[in-house]
Amino acid sequence: MTVKKRGYGTKDMREVSDTPELTKEDFAKAKPFAEALPDLAKSIRKGRGPNKAPTKTLVSLRLSPDVLTHFKSKGPGWQSKIDEVLRKAAGVKR
């Protein structure tokens, strides 16, 4: 068995290798996570959640690949840079 280096070594893998393979019957008996552990499932945050003061609206926008490449090449914050350019083009001030 090949072990990827993420903090676990061959010895660690040997210690847990006695876990039997799951069968079709095991999978047939399995319950969805939310059904098996409902309290835990409710406590797990899904997504970012609501903003304290929403200032932007989530949209889906199709951009040309070259435009997207240009903005992404500028590094983190590329979506905000697109917003800034669109604000200027629309003549909208903050």
Side-chain angles (χ1 to χ4, degrees), residues 2-15:
T2 304
V3 179
K4 291 185 178 182
K5 295 293 180 184
R6 293 202 177 158
Y8 300 104
T10 305
K11 180 183 173 207
D12 298 311
M13 295 306 290
R14 264 188 262 123
E15 287 181 17

Side-chain angles (χ1 to χ4, degrees), residues 38-69:
D39 294 334
L40 182 58
K42 288 178 191 173
S43 72
I44 296 174
R45 193 175 105 177
K46 294 178 181 157
R48 287 180 67 176
N51 294 324
K52 290 180 183 175
T55 57
K56 296 182 180 176
T57 303
L58 178 64
V59 297
S60 177
L61 179 67
R62 292 182 181 270
L63 301 172
S64 300
D66 52 342
V67 171
L68 192 57
T69 300

Side-chain angles (χ1 to χ4, degrees), residues 10-44:
T10 305
K11 180 183 173 207
D12 298 311
M13 295 306 290
R14 264 188 262 123
E15 287 181 17
V16 296
S17 66
D18 62 341
T19 304
E21 293 256 346
L22 294 174
T23 64
K24 288 182 181 180
E25 290 79 24
D26 292 325
F27 281 106
K29 290 188 267 182
K31 295 180 183 178
F33 176 72
E35 188 179 315
L37 302 166
D39 294 334
L40 182 58
K42 288 178 191 173
S43 72
I44 296 174

